[in-house]
Amino acid sequence: MLHPHPQLINAQLAQLHPTQITVGKMEVALKRKEWGALGKKSRSAALASHWFPAISGPENKYYIVDHHHFGLALLEEEVKTVSLMLLKDLSWLEPSRFWSVMDHHQWVHPYDSQGVRRDFHAVPLHLTHLQDDPYRSLAGEVRRAGGFAKDVTPFSEFLWADFFRNIIDLGLLERDFGKALTKAKKLAGAQDARYLPGWCGPIGAA
């Protein structure tokens, strides 16, 4: 049931299933803005070159394991069809075993907008049902500002979101995002964050 070489297939975006509970809605809005700035040819080229990594699950449903923000942005922009890079066929597994295998491979992130791990059934059935986690938006902005590097670690920006969640008050984040971002960028370079993927702080600093 394994694919020695990932397979590329076309799929209806509205029928894809997420593997996480939250996104940063600010980041979704940014991706919509970037998409809106593209011309027709550039949009076609972008879709042709972008593949959503996916798993074939029970009842032959496709579960994307990355690029949820872009997927939701495209869906809100009324894009119908996207390309999937099929990583593995797990369609033959019972649902409970399916989620166990997904968890083992770090292909699911069942954490809610408070950073609390939930049961797998809490993962929404549709991209449009993803919750907003403002700390995930903050983490994305910190990365874009150079506060930490993009990393291949699964769900790395959620790890940063949880780091900021424990230090930066939600009231500040909602009241003055710019001030919260300035504080977060400083925190990102601190030694307390050196365990996080993509950390770019000074080695050995006090």
Side-chain angles (χ1 to χ4, degrees), residues 48-203:
S49 63
H50 188 94
W51 307 328
F52 287 84
I55 307 298
S56 179
E59 300 180 6
N60 292 313
K61 296 176 180 177
Y62 294 115
Y63 293 78
I64 60 170
V65 298
D66 202 357
H67 307 315
H68 289 72
H69 292 82
F70 187 47
L72 180 55
L74 290 177
L75 197 57
E76 292 179 350
E77 290 295 318
E78 300 184 350
V79 172
K80 303 299 183 183
T81 305
V82 295
S83 296
L84 304 184
M85 179 173 60
L86 195 59
L87 303 178
K88 185 176 290 190
D89 181 3
L90 299 178
S91 60
W92 52 282
L93 292 176
E94 292 295 322
S96 60
R97 181 59 60 86
F98 167 75
W99 287 114
S100 178
V101 173
M102 293 287 284
D103 199 27
H104 174 76
H105 286 284
Q106 294 182 286
W107 284 334
V108 59
H109 189 77
Y111 291 81
D112 64 19
S113 57
Q114 282 74 50
V116 177
R117 185 180 174 100
R118 302 281 300 279
D119 292 336
F120 295 125
H121 64 71
V123 177
L125 299 177
H126 197 277
L127 289 170
T128 59
H129 297 160
L130 290 164
Q131 300 175 13
D132 179 31
D133 180 356
Y135 288 97
R136 175 60 183 78
S137 291
L138 179 63
E141 287 299 314
V142 172
R143 181 183 62 78
R144 274 186 288 277
F148 63 91
K150 192 170 181 64
D151 193 275
V152 296
T153 302
F155 304 105
S156 60
E157 289 177 347
F158 281 102
L159 296 177
W160 281 95
D162 286 334
F163 173 71
F164 297 133
R165 193 189 316 277
N166 292 324
I167 304 173
I168 297 176
D169 184 70
L170 179 60
L172 173 63
L173 185 56
E174 293 177 338
R175 182 177 64 255
D176 192 338
F177 188 87
K179 188 174 181 179
L181 177 59
T182 298
K183 183 176 182 179
K185 287 190 290 186
K186 184 177 180 180
L187 289 168
Q191 291 294 300
D192 286 348
R194 65 185 183 274
Y195 70 94
L196 290 163
W199 180 72
C200 300
I203 303 297

Side-chain angles (χ1 to χ4, degrees), residues 6-27:
Q7 297 180 349
L8 296 180
I9 59 174
N10 289 327
Q12 293 295 307
L13 181 57
Q15 295 179 5
L16 300 182
H17 290 256
T19 53
Q20 59 196 48
I21 296 176
T22 69
V23 288
K25 289 296 179 70
M26 283 185 62
E27 187 155 339

